[in-house]
Amino acid sequence: MRPSPLLLLVLVGCTPPPEAPVPIADPAGWMVAHADAFLSDRGQRRAWLESSLWQPEVPYARKRLDGYALPNGGWDALPEMAARTAAVQTDGSTGPWRTLPATPPSDIAGWRALGERVFHELPMRRDAYVEWLADRPELWARAGVQTEDGALGGLTRFVDWRGETRTGITCALCHRAEGQPGRAARGLDLGWARARYVESRGQAPGAYADWGRGRMDVTDDPVDDPLAIADLWTVRWQSHINTSGAVRLDTPAALAIRFETQFITGHAFATRPPRHLVWALAIYVLTLDRPPSAVPVDHPGAAVFADRCAGCHDPERGYAGDLVSPAGFIGQTGPAFSPMRGTGYLKVPGLLGVGEGGPYLHDARFDSLSALVEAGHPYGDPPPPAQAAALVDFLRHL
Amino acid sequence: MTPILRPVPAALALALFGCEQISQPPATVSDGLTAAHVGGHLGSYRDCPDEAWENHNADDAAPDRVAGAPDADCDGACGPLNCEAARLTFTLSNQSDVDAEGVEPVALFLLDRDGLEIVELPIAATLDEDGQPFDGALDAGGQALLHIEFVGLLDAAALVGPPADGDGAFDWRSGVQLRLLIGAATHDDTGLDTPLVYSLPEIDT
C-alpha cells in the first residue's frame, strides 16, 4: 500500500484534492451551541449549505442550491411532516403510533436521546418497492430486513401530506446491525428486494439483481455503481461525506442539512422534516460510538500501518482521512466521476470496526481483509507476506 | 407526439392568455397576486409510461393518480406502482386588500434552454396544503401553499436538449424549467418560472 498519497499524486501528476476542513473537536457541543441559529436563521442555514457544497455544479449540489434556504419560496415553504410514526411489526402489522417531540431539547443529553429516536423512527424516504416489501413478511429474511434472531427494524409507517398511511425506511434499516446503531447492515439486500418487486410487475430486474448484500446504488443515473453501505462511527472525523466527498463537513451543520435535504428528496419534495429532528439526528450520528478498539501494545502490524496506511487513514481521526484522487486506483473508480455526485475524488473512510466483517472498499469488491491487503489496496504494491499478515491482524483489532 | 414549438416570451404569453382565454371582469386588481416556486418533480412513470406526456393522448382526461396506489387493473400481481404524477408546489400570496376569487392555474409549459415555451403539460389537479382540491379563494393579505399535479415527461431533457454552456459531464439528465400561468377572476394573472426541475429519482439517498 505504498506510497503515501502525496507522493502518489506527484508521481501520477494528478490534481491535488482541495484543502480539507479540520473537523471540530466537540461537534455535539458545537451543535448544541448553534441549535438556535439552525432553527431560526435561514440565512445562516443557507451559508452553511453553500459552504458545504464545494462543487456547486455537481447535480447533487445544484438541486440543493436551487431549493434550500432561499429568501423566498423554496423547500423552506414545504409543510412540515407530522412526526407521527408506527413501527412495522414482525407480522407485518402496524405497531402503536408514537409522536416525536415537537419542541427542541435543552441539553446535549436530550438532543442525543431525541436523535436516537429519530434514527429509529423517522422515515427518511418512501418508495413503492418498500411498500410492496413491507406487505410480504415472507421475504424479509432473504432481503435482510429481518435478521436471523427475528429482529426487525427500519420499516416504519407514517401519514403523508395527503393524509394517507405509507411505509418508509429509517436510518436504522441500512445503518444498524447486530444491535449496534452505526454499523452497516451488511446482510441487507435491497437490490434483491427491488428486483423481486419489478419482476412482480413483469419487468426485468436489470442491475438491481447484481447489487448484492450490503451494497446499494444510491444515485439515479445511467451508471451502475452500487456502493458498500457505510459504518457511521467515524463520521465525526470525516472532512467529507458521500463516497465522492460531495458534501464538505466544514461544520457539523452540514450533516444536519444533508439529512434534511435527503428527507425532502426522499419524500418527493412534498414535505420537510421538523428541523429540530434532523439537528438531533446529526448530533446522534456524530456521537455514535462502538466498543473501544483492543489493539495489543506493540502490535507488529502497527508499524506496517504507520508506514503504509497512516498517511491517509489518520489514527487520530478514527483512521479516517480526507479526499484522494483515484488516479492509479485498481478497480472501480466510478463514484469519483458519478454523473450525480462525482467530484473527481474519493473519500478516505474510517477504519474503526473494519475487522468485524467485510466486504471491503467502497464498491465492496473484497470479501476479506487478507484479499484486500494482498491485492494492494486501491493502489500501490502489496506488502511482503509477513508484513501483510501483521497488518491484517492489526486491522482486525481496530 | 411531436412537441409544438411555441416561441412566445413569458410576458407576451401572459398578456395573450389574459386577453383571449380567461374571462375576467373589466377591472381586476393588478400586482396583487404573486407566486413563488417551492418544489416539485417531473413524475415517475416506470410502471405507467402511457400516462407520461410522450404517450399521453391529449383527448384523455389527465390522470389523478395517488402516489403508491395499487394498480386498479392488476391481475394477480397487485401492489404499489412505481408511478407518480408530476407535481409542482408553490406559494401564492395575495398582497392586495381585495379577496381573490376564481384563482386557478391555467397553463403549464415546458421551456427550452432559451426560456421559450415548447410543450404544454396538462394540469390534472390543484390541491391545497392538505391535499384537498383548491377552492380558488385567497383572502386579502393571505398566502396559500398549493400543489398542482400534471402530466410529466419520461425524458424532458430529450425535448429540451443539453444546456448551451454544459460541458457534457453532468448533462445526461439536466433539469428543465417550467412556466406556470395562474389566472383569477378578481386579480390580474400571475405566474412563475421554476428553477431546474427533475424526474423523480427511484434511487437517491
Side-chain angles (χ1 to χ4, degrees):
Chain A
M1 285 186 283
R2 203 186 307 269
S4 73
L6 184 59
L7 178 57
L8 180 86
L9 291 172
V10 173
L11 290 174
V12 299
C14 59
T15 305
E19 186 175 347
V22 177
I24 290 174
D26 177 17
W30 186 96
M31 293 195 74
V32 172
H34 290 80
D36 286 346
F38 184 75
L39 299 178
S40 60
D41 186 344
R42 180 206 57 77
Q44 180 62 75
R45 283 189 293 110
R46 180 71 186 183
W48 281 328
L49 173 81
E50 292 180 358
S51 176
S52 69
L53 298 175
W54 61 284
Q55 289 203 357
E57 289 308 312
V58 171
Y60 172 89
R62 188 165 182 175
K63 279 187 184 180
R64 283 147 182 81
L65 291 167
D66 279 350
Y68 186 78
L70 300 177
N72 185 31
W75 300 349
D76 276 30
L78 289 170
E80 268 192 4
M81 176 203 178
R84 189 165 168 265
T85 66
V88 176
Q89 305 293 289
T90 51
D91 62 357
S93 63
T94 301
W97 287 89
R98 64 226 168 159
T99 304
L100 288 160
T103 56
S106 57
D107 58 28
I108 193 166
W111 277 108
R112 194 175 188 283
L114 176 59
E116 183 174 14
R117 283 194 60 186
V118 174
F119 183 88
H120 291 282
E121 297 177 23
L122 188 70
M124 293 300 287
R125 64 175 292 118
R126 85 291 188 278
D127 296 274
Y129 86 94
V130 169
E131 312 252 6
W132 179 86
L133 180 63
D135 288 338
R136 289 161 178 77
E138 69 275 14
L139 303 181
W140 292 352
R142 172 59 186 83
V145 171
Q146 189 170 26
T147 55
E148 290 180 358
D149 62 2
L152 175 68
L155 295 179
T156 191
R157 298 220 158 87
F158 67 100
V159 178
D160 75 3
W161 68 282
R162 285 177 176 268
E164 296 177 17
T165 300
R166 306 288 303 274
T167 305
I169 61 175
T170 72
C171 298
L173 182 72
C174 298
H175 298 287
R176 178 186 179 279
E178 298 161 19
Q180 300 179 71
R183 178 165 175 73
R186 293 178 172 84
L188 189 63
D189 198 346
L190 293 184
W192 180 87
R194 283 179 178 270
R196 300 293 81 73
Y197 166 66
V198 299
E199 282 180 344
S200 78
R201 309 224 55 83
Q203 300 164 2
Y208 293 146
D210 300 326
W211 286 5
R213 292 188 184 274
R215 298 203 310 168
M216 295 174 63
D217 187 341
V218 296
T219 50
D220 195 32
D221 57 37
V223 180
D224 179 28
D225 53 359
L227 304 173
I229 299 172
D231 293 328
L232 300 181
W233 294 313
T234 58
V235 172
R236 77 180 79 168
W237 289 295
Q238 300 281 174
S239 61
H240 298 76
I241 53 173
N242 290 342
T243 299
S244 62
V247 177
R248 177 168 57 194
L249 290 184
D250 48 1
T251 70
L255 187 63
I257 293 171
R258 154 70 174 151
F259 292 151
E260 184 177 0
T261 57
Q262 181 179 9
F263 179 100
I264 291 168
T265 57
H267 288 263
F269 309 95
T271 184
R272 67 176 178 84
R275 207 161 276 132
H276 66 288
L277 298 186
V278 293
W279 198 251
L281 178 60
I283 290 175
Y284 179 66
V285 169
L286 288 166
T287 55
L288 277 172
D289 216 340
R290 61 177 300 282
S293 300
V295 183
V297 177
D298 297 328
H299 189 290
V304 182
F305 187 89
D307 181 40
R308 292 177 165 270
C309 312
C312 291
H313 294 280
D314 185 350
E316 300 301 316
R317 293 171 52 189
Y319 303 93
D322 302 320
L323 300 184
V324 293
S325 168
F329 271 31
I330 60 172
Q332 187 200 79
T333 58
F337 308 104
S338 156
M340 294 303 292
R341 300 185 187 178
T343 63
Y345 299 96
L346 293 172
K347 174 190 69 179
V348 176
L351 300 180
L352 287 182
V354 72
E356 295 181 3
Y360 299 102
L361 285 193
H362 59 274
D363 57 358
R365 78 174 44 245
F366 296 113
D367 290 332
S368 69
L369 284 172
S370 297
L372 180 147
V373 170
E374 289 165 7
H377 186 252
Y379 53 67
D381 299 325
Q387 286 191 13
L391 179 58
V392 167
D393 191 67
F394 174 80
L395 292 171
R396 287 187 178 132
H397 285 85
L398 295 181
Chain B
M1 185 180 294
T2 302
I4 301 171
L5 188 64
R6 298 191 355 145
V8 182
L12 180 57
L14 284 168
L16 290 173
F17 209 91
C19 292
E20 295 180 355
Q21 297 189 31
I22 296 178
S23 176
Q24 295 181 336
T28 57
V29 179
S30 61
D31 299 328
L33 296 180
T34 58
H37 177 258
V38 172
H41 58 80
L42 298 175
S44 172
Y45 296 96
R46 182 187 181 105
D47 288 334
C48 52
D50 289 346
E51 295 180 13
W53 181 87
E54 287 90 337
N55 303 315
H56 182 250
N57 186 332
D59 296 331
D60 292 344
D64 182 15
R65 178 180 295 282
V66 174
D71 188 347
D73 300 324
C74 61
D75 181 19
C78 302
L81 292 174
N82 240 331
C83 187
E84 188 159 341
R87 189 179 64 248
L88 183 63
T89 301
F90 60 99
T91 57
L92 187 65
S93 301
N94 181 358
Q95 298 170 322
S96 73
D97 56 3
V98 177
D99 291 348
E101 296 177 358
V103 178
E104 181 184 17
V106 290
L108 181 69
F109 298 101
L110 173 68
L111 306 183
D112 69 11
R113 299 295 179 196
D114 296 319
L116 304 180
E117 299 159 0
I118 54 173
V119 168
E120 181 169 355
L121 302 170
I123 296 173
T126 303
L127 307 172
D128 65 16
E129 181 170 341
D130 299 320
Q132 301 304 308
F134 176 53
D135 63 6
L138 184 57
D139 293 344
Q143 184 181 77
L145 182 80
L146 300 176
H147 310 273
I148 60 167
E149 292 189 332
F150 62 96
V151 178
L153 300 108
L154 292 170
D155 190 356
L159 291 172
V160 172
D165 58 351
D167 62 6
F170 300 128
D171 291 348
W172 70 273
R173 192 179 281 187
S174 295
V176 297
Q177 278 191 286
L178 306 175
R179 174 169 297 144
L180 175 65
L181 305 181
I182 303 167
T186 51
H187 290 64
D188 282 0
D189 299 343
T190 188
L192 63 86
D193 284 0
T194 70
L196 295 177
V197 180
Y198 303 81
S199 292
L200 190 59
E202 288 183 25
I203 45 177
D204 184 12
T205 63

